[in-house]
Amino acid sequence: MTTAGAVTWDDLLDGEELAHVETVPATDARIAPLPEDLHPRLREILPFDGLYEHQRAAWDAAASGEHLILATGTASGKSLAFNLPVLDAIARNPKERALYLYPTKALAQDQARALGELRAPNVRAAIYDGDTPGERRSQIRRWANLILTNPDMLHVGVLPHHDRWADVLHNLRYIVVDEAHVYRGVFGSHVGNVLRRLRRLAGVYGAEPQLLFASATIANPGELAAALGGVDATVVDRDAAPRAERTIALWNPELLDAELGLRASPLGEASRLMAALTTRGLRTICFAKSRKAAELIHKFTVDRVDSATGKRLAPYRAGYTPIQRREIERRLVEGELLGVSATDALELGIDIGLLDCAISVGFPGTVASLRQQWGRAGRRGHGLAVLIASEDALDQYFMREPAMLLERRVEAAILDHANPRVLDGHVRAAAFEAPVDDADRATLGDEALERAALLPDLKHTKSGYVWAGRDYPAGRFGLRSTTPDTFTVVEAQSGTVLGLVERERAYSTVHEGAIYLHLGESYLVRELDLQARTAVVTPYSGDYYTQAKKDTNTAIEETLRTERRCGLDLSFGRISVTEQVVAYQKKSVRDQSTLETVDLDLPETSFETEAIWYLPERAQLDGLEKMPTLLGTLHAAEHSMIALLPLWAMCDRWDIGGLSTNVHFQTNRPTVFIYDGHAGGVGITERGFNAFEGWVSDTARMLEGCPCNDGCPSCVQSPKCGNLNEMLDKGAALTLLRRLVAASTSAT
Amino acid sequence: MADVRELRLVLTVQDFDGALSFYRDALGLDVEAVWASEGGHVTLLSAGRATLELVDEAHAAEIDRLEVGRRVAGPVRVAFQVPDSGALADTLEAAGATRIAGPVTTPWNDRNVRLEAPDGTQLTLFTPVE
């Protein structure tokens, strides 16, 4: 047996590239006694005679009839924490029922396996999803007391046919929502409504189920439970599981050209590190953002190691069959494999326990994700966790300000179930399921009643609002977008549907000639059929990407809040955004140079959404007021603020849009708009409104720290800019932001 | 059209955990449901489409001859169609199965491997060759 002490990585962590290295000490487990009242048969099957304190706290909350959200780290035993109350209830009375919701089939499958291994008394667990054969469904409804399903199935397959589910709903004691942090943004806003519909129908059948949420560590677990379930939930977030000592390294590839922001390839750096670690026999997983990247890292690593080690490396990606995945997992756990390079889409479902080292290539978008990836490191009492930075502004900001990454709050998971674009469909579906009346405010929410009064296809009767249409409304919309007006992306050879894209985004992401990314795979769009609303794509392995050029206009529809902040007028409200995609550029993956610009002829689209906008005062623009400096100032400030908004709201910069203008037709002043890219909005920009001072000052620090002079991809340039990153004045934007920061500090 | 909707093969095994890790993990069958009776346990695994193949003694002997070269199977043999019988047979061997013979290509162009599972059940893995 080797021990962790025998193999070291210290000598690999002293180059120029190391932006930061620290060691987080191990923590011991904090153990609480098993609850006295735990069913004796469950006591027998537990692996040890005690619980982590957070598991015990979860038990106590559930036992007192409270709703609960658990937000603790990877491998902290969250499953056991929510399983125990459920299994105890079923052990006492097999008629009690529980519904478990998982965002993917693979995760439901993992939980079904785990439940099978627990061997709890009286449990009859079954998976109920789109693959469940018809004849089996009625059997599951009658017989299973623990049903694993997904929100989409609940939405179209369960709630509209609730009479068939009467016995389940009548006896529904627990609703378990695992991986709750995944339910954010548009998807989360829908799931928030599905859970409200479920709670209401359970009430119709006389049950009042408890909600048990489990989430990765996020900033706002209580708020997430309230937004998703409409309930006050007890928050359990003090992780009492033991943690191995962990070395954390932030690795910034060497700067090759400061003006272009060009750095050595993160993929090359990852393979160099991975080769060194695996050669020493250290089990390592490397997460990359695309399949192409994962495969390149694998290839480069194999090139660097001897052939015996090379045979013990493998890529791991979506598209493998479950058998292939299990095989790789098994070989990794047993040490046959030393290194795996994976796409980070897979971080949720990998069953590999702990390894020695985890390398994340490029910030995965949220601190919660990064922690989930890093959580894999620590197999033998000491783990190594590395982030290799990309050129992206947020990555580079973290390299200069490690504390912002390592010590700061985790982001908040944001959703807005009351977004009318999302809510209306669910109000119709609810009215179809049972008349909606005032008593439903408690479960469906006040907004649902307000919308019900406005919807023409609902009829107001004595028993409440009822559905007046002929079809069944839940069948009209899915949970993954805010509008039924979506384009289907189809792979030409196999005919496989890869996904749905809302019309507002279709023109900029799946126009003819676009390179479309899906689960880390690249596709070339062959044809966008506006009538049939389909985009036909074929796999693509070339070395350019595309960026759409569009004309954007915004109009303020309603100002909801205006406050004096940072010495200027800051507003939050609803705006309409009109966009027209007019061209696209092919850009080299290698050096971002423009290869070709192609004109496009596409119709205008418009949508209403949430936004913040601010109007810098004349004094704040002193010396910057001449064109084109003025526009360059506002535009660069807008881009850099968009790059940092994901620090507050769990979202991608691709979820956010912006517009800067030297004079807006409604404000008659220079104005910067930052808006939610999803029609209706899901609450992202309101987060920004609330955190405006911190947002502005962090953005100023980001610009100050970036080593370029005139702006680069690591600060003011945006990979999704509709103006193709023209008219950006980094220095002037910094001057403006500094003046805002000064105003905010002098005000307090 | 018959009223039978499902063919379910029920294996009573001595080593339940061992069988679970063999059929579920090594063979890779998905869990459909799990339940417990008083003192006992059941796991239902999905295994694709089920069919019932009736053969007479002469044909059984012929299959044994083709796959193995001698008469080995009892009255029940469980056959799984898989994407790559050879590779999966290696995996199953590593998971405790005993290889009896194969892979061989049958006259009807399947690639067959005969194994004995740890619980004693005789298995054929077969892959239609394009």
Side-chain angles (χ1 to χ4, degrees):
Chain A
M1 290 288 286
T2 11
T3 60
V7 184
T8 170
W9 44 69
D10 292 348
D11 55 311
L12 302 173
L13 303 180
D14 67 352
E16 294 270 309
E17 304 85 356
L18 272 298
H20 180 78
V21 181
E22 69 178 46
T23 296
V24 182
T27 48
D28 290 333
R30 296 193 308 278
I31 306 290
L34 286 179
E36 294 287 327
D37 46 348
L38 183 66
H39 191 280
R41 291 274 301 279
L42 288 176
R43 190 175 287 268
E44 286 165 27
I45 61 170
L46 286 183
F48 54 87
D49 188 26
L51 293 174
Y52 296 136
E53 281 177 6
H54 62 271
Q55 294 173 323
R56 177 60 198 261
W59 169 274
D60 291 340
S64 345
E66 293 161 18
H67 303 291
L68 165 74
I69 183 161
L70 269 155
T72 53
T74 314
S76 62
K78 285 195 285 265
S79 283
L80 183 64
F82 61 69
N83 277 330
L84 263 194
V86 173
L87 298 179
D88 185 79
I90 288 174
R92 287 168 202 284
N93 178 5
K95 281 188 70 69
E96 302 266 23
R97 309 267 205 148
L99 274 175
Y100 279 45
L101 290 190
Y102 279 89
T104 68
K105 285 174 196 288
L107 290 168
Q109 184 59 226
D110 289 344
Q111 182 62 237
R113 289 162 166 253
L115 284 165
E117 273 162 23
L118 274 175
R119 306 281 152 73
N122 292 339
V123 167
R124 300 187 296 265
I127 289 188
Y128 191 97
D129 63 20
D131 294 338
T132 308
E135 62 271 19
R136 180 155 222 88
R137 295 187 173 191
S138 65
Q139 189 190 27
I140 291 173
R141 293 193 290 264
R142 265 202 320 277
W143 162 90
N145 50 19
L146 198 164
I147 298 172
L148 300 122
T149 185
N150 55 62
D152 312 81
M153 193 67 191
L154 202 53
H155 165 57
V156 291
V158 175
L159 299 176
H161 315 291
H162 55 87
D163 48 332
R164 298 184 203 156
W165 288 81
D167 192 60
V168 174
L169 292 168
H170 175 66
N171 293 295
L172 190 58
R173 171 80 179 270
Y174 287 111
I175 301 166
V176 171
V177 183
D178 200 359
E179 308 289 355
H181 61 284
V182 170
Y183 303 122
R184 58 180 190 261
V186 172
F187 185 35
S189 304
H190 277 293
V191 172
N193 282 292
V194 170
L195 285 171
R196 284 169 170 82
R197 281 161 56 202
L198 173 61
R199 284 182 56 227
R200 179 178 82 117
L201 284 178
V204 168
Y205 289 90
E208 212 178 306
Q210 277 171 259
L211 285 158
L212 310 181
F213 295 95
S215 157
T217 48
I218 49 171
N220 62 337
E223 200 180 277
L224 178 64
L228 265 180
V231 296
D232 282 333
T234 302
V235 174
V236 175
D237 58 358
R238 294 172 55 109
D239 194 332
R243 211 177 41 203
E245 181 180 62
R246 181 172 298 157
T247 300
I248 289 174
L250 302 186
W251 183 297
N252 202 4
E254 188 194 347
L255 187 60
L256 302 177
D257 183 326
E259 266 327 289
L260 296 174
L262 189 65
R263 292 183 174 271
S265 157
L267 308 185
E269 299 286 279
S271 64
R272 186 153 66 90
L273 182 58
M274 186 141 171
L277 293 168
T278 51
T279 300
R280 296 175 187 199
L282 294 164
R283 294 185 205 169
T284 304
I285 188 161
C286 183
F287 292 96
K289 285 189 167 182
S290 71
R291 165 176 167 181
K292 181 107 186 159
E295 284 178 347
L296 285 174
I297 292 168
H298 170 70
K299 183 173 169 297
F300 295 159
T301 311
V302 170
D303 290 346
R304 287 173 187 271
V305 298
D306 61 83
S307 69
T309 308
K311 290 197 180 84
R312 297 172 71 189
L313 303 174
Y316 181 110
R317 56 176 163 81
Y320 282 159
T321 65
I323 300 176
Q324 290 170 314
R325 290 180 51 180
R326 299 285 170 227
E327 174 66 6
I328 289 177
E329 290 165 3
R330 183 191 63 74
R331 293 177 63 204
L332 193 57
V333 169
E334 290 173 6
E336 270 177 57
L337 278 181
L338 282 171
V340 164
S341 31
T343 48
D344 60 9
L346 293 172
E347 77 200 14
L348 281 180
I350 309 182
D351 184 17
I352 47 169
L354 292 177
L355 305 173
D356 295 305
C357 313
I359 305 170
S360 303
V361 184
F363 180 62
T366 66
V367 174
S369 267
L370 183 68
R371 292 203 178 154
Q372 202 134 358
Q373 296 179 358
W374 281 2
R376 298 292 172 185
R379 186 167 68 96
R380 290 171 298 183
H382 189 180
L384 171 64
V386 184
L387 171 63
I388 297 181
S390 75
E391 289 162 6
D392 192 78
L394 201 49
D395 286 44
Q396 290 303 318
Y397 179 64
F398 288 145
M399 292 298 126
R400 294 191 301 270
E401 310 270 350
M404 286 299 183
L405 176 65
L406 302 174
E407 282 157 41
R408 97 184 272 130
R409 62 213 175 250
V410 198
E411 318 79 351
I414 311 289
L415 60 101
D416 177 13
H417 77 96
N419 169 351
R421 290 283 289 263
V422 170
L423 180 60
D424 286 357
H426 292 279
V427 172
R428 292 188 185 97
F432 171 87
E433 286 151 10
V436 170
D437 66 18
D438 248 19
D440 296 322
R441 283 180 191 276
T443 47
L444 297 178
D446 293 334
E447 301 90 343
L449 272 291
E450 286 159 24
R451 298 303 300 176
L454 299 174
L455 295 175
D457 39 11
L458 297 190
K459 203 166 78 187
H460 196 211
T461 68
K462 262 185 284 179
S463 51
Y465 293 97
V466 297
W467 173 241
R470 285 165 188 271
D471 58 340
Y472 92 106
R476 287 186 185 177
F477 65 102
L479 305 184
R480 317 275 170 158
S481 79
T482 50
T483 159
D485 189 10
T486 51
F487 281 64
T488 310
V489 183
V490 183
E491 203 278 302
Q493 259 129 44
S494 62
T496 315
V497 173
L498 298 178
L500 297 174
V501 182
E502 297 160 24
R503 181 185 290 274
E504 295 101 57
R505 306 181 142 219
Y507 297 156
S508 55
T509 58
V510 290
H511 58 76
E512 215 164 282
I515 302 300
Y516 172 74
L517 263 180
H518 173 72
L519 285 181
E521 311 268 346
S522 297
Y523 298 88
L524 171 64
V525 179
R526 298 283 175 185
E527 189 195 353
L528 178 69
D529 184 331
L530 302 184
Q531 257 68 50
R533 293 196 297 195
T534 44
V536 179
V537 305
T538 50
Y540 169 79
S541 59
D543 54 3
Y544 70 86
Y545 63 97
T546 55
Q547 188 168 4
K549 177 168 165 46
K550 58 191 177 188
D551 293 339
T552 305
N553 287 297
T554 55
I556 299 166
E557 300 291 334
E558 186 184 4
T559 305
L560 298 170
R561 296 163 72 183
T562 296
E563 287 173 14
R564 215 46 207 167
R565 306 273 290 277
C566 296
L568 50 66
D569 282 336
L570 172 70
S571 298
F572 168 75
R574 289 185 306 109
I575 65 168
S576 60
V577 178
T578 307
E579 290 178 342
Q580 184 165 28
V581 177
V582 294
Y584 72 93
Q585 283 190 340
K586 295 181 182 173
K587 314 219 24 160
S588 156
V589 170
R590 212 169 306 111
D591 57 9
Q592 275 87 40
S593 64
T594 302
L595 305 173
E596 192 187 356
T597 303
V598 184
D599 288 337
L600 289 168
D601 179 23
L602 287 165
E604 247 182 31
T605 58
S606 77
F607 62 99
E608 215 176 279
T609 188
E610 295 172 343
I612 64 116
W613 57 95
Y614 60 88
L615 288 61
E617 294 292 338
R618 191 176 299 271
Q620 292 170 328
L621 291 170
D622 185 34
L624 311 172
E625 60 276 83
K626 282 209 189 71
M627 288 293 278
T629 305
L630 177 57
L631 202 49
T633 308
L634 302 174
H635 193 198
E638 168 216 317
H639 274 194
S640 44
M641 287 183 71
I642 288 175
L644 288 204
L645 186 53
L647 288 176
W648 285 271
M650 238 168 146
C651 65
D652 199 288
R653 73 187 290 167
W654 299 88
D655 294 330
I656 315 162
L659 176 88
S660 313
T661 166
N662 52 321
V663 51
H664 187 261
F665 76 99
Q666 286 163 303
T667 64
N668 296 314
R669 296 248 308 268
T671 310
V672 175
F673 287 88
I674 293 175
Y675 58 84
D676 199 319
H678 294 281
V682 292
I684 296 168
T685 52
E686 192 168 15
R687 269 297 140 163
F689 183 92
N690 293 336
F692 193 68
E693 288 78 7
W695 185 15
V696 168
S697 75
D698 282 2
T699 307
R701 279 173 72 148
M702 187 263 275
L703 290 185
E704 267 161 11
C706 187
C708 71
N709 288 320
D710 297 327
C712 73
S714 302
C715 56
V716 297
Q717 291 179 12
S718 158
K720 53 166 293 204
C721 175
N723 295 320
L724 306 172
N725 289 311
E726 285 156 17
M727 302 276 269
L728 291 166
D729 192 328
K730 178 190 175 187
L734 180 56
T735 304
L736 171 63
L737 292 172
R738 279 183 177 146
R739 289 172 182 168
L740 267 54
V741 173
S744 76
T745 46
S746 66
T748 49
Chain B
M1 189 59 197
D3 286 336
V4 176
R5 306 293 293 274
E6 181 181 347
L7 169 64
R8 190 178 295 182
L9 181 69
V10 182
L11 295 182
T12 305
V13 292
Q14 299 301 314
D15 173 8
F16 188 85
D17 289 332
L20 203 55
S21 89
F22 183 79
Y23 289 100
R24 186 194 63 187
D25 303 335
L27 187 53
L29 304 180
D30 272 350
V31 175
E32 267 192 33
V34 295
W35 65 94
S37 56
E38 203 46 49
H41 299 98
V42 185
T43 293
L44 182 66
L45 301 168
S46 26
R49 192 169 72 96
T51 52
L52 182 64
E53 179 175 321
L54 300 179
V55 299
D56 63 13
E57 175 55 35
H59 185 80
E62 170 67 4
I63 293 174
D64 272 0
R65 190 186 64 74
L66 285 168
E67 287 188 15
V68 187
R70 60 179 195 283
R71 190 75 181 98
V72 287
V76 176
R77 179 169 53 89
V78 181
F80 296 100
Q81 185 190 319
V82 299
D84 183 347
S85 54
L88 186 58
D90 294 341
T91 305
L92 294 188
E93 249 187 318
T98 311
R99 187 185 298 240
I100 300 172
V104 296
T105 304
T106 65
W108 46 93
N109 230 18
D110 283 351
R111 222 31 209 161
N112 287 23
V113 187
R114 186 73 68 87
L115 299 155
E116 186 175 293
D119 62 282
T121 305
Q122 206 159 102
L123 309 179
T124 293
L125 303 180
F126 67 104
T127 301
V129 179
E130 297 288 317

